[in-house]
Amino acid sequence: LSRAIHYPPMETAPEAPRVWAGEHADINLITALPRATAAGLQVKLKDEGRWIDAQPGDGQAIINTGLMLEVVTNGVISPGVHRVVAGEGQPGDRYSVVQFCHPTPWTILSPVASCTTPEHPQRFAPISAADALDLVLYEINLIEDARRA
């Protein structure tokens, strides 16, 4: 699933704290983030809790891990927490085209055997990708928007 994202200029936001997208982890398996038209993507360092700028080089993309990949790897690979912020005095819009890698809704997400050991017991119960998505949408109060026709 590809998605073009437009972040409007910060000067048009009423009393904004320069945050285009607040701290979050993506729901899917992985997300590919190629170069955007302006800086702003930041990732949170897991052990330090601080934010660093993430800007791919020419012809490169940032690969972000999602919540569903955490389930499949039994927590071996944790989700990449990130946000999008405008720098102090950063002018103009920001555009980004993002590629989300989602399993089909009927795919059962379950920890793979190589990530489950006596030292690292299974942390997640099997769940369909559709139910995992609905659970996250419920947790962030978007369940009404998650209804399927």
Side-chain angles (χ1 to χ4, degrees), residues 67 70-76 109-111 121-127:
L67 294 165
E70 180 182 35
V71 172
V72 172
T73 65
N74 197 37
V76 172
L109 304 172
S110 183
Q122 185 170 329
R123 291 178 42 200
F124 301 96
I127 187 171

Side-chain angles (χ1 to χ4, degrees), residues 25 31 86 117 122:
T31 303
T117 65
Q122 185 170 329

Side-chain angles (χ1 to χ4, degrees), residues 27-30 65-79 101-104 107-117 120-129 132:
I27 298 167
N28 57 333
L29 292 166
I30 61 170
T65 55
L67 294 165
M68 290 182 182
L69 187 62
E70 180 182 35
V71 172
V72 172
T73 65
N74 197 37
V76 172
I77 299 175
S78 57
C101 179
H102 283 278
T104 58
T107 298
I108 301 301
L109 304 172
S110 183
V112 295
S114 61
C115 293
T116 306
T117 65
H120 193 74
Q122 185 170 329
R123 291 178 42 200
F124 301 96
I127 187 171
S128 72

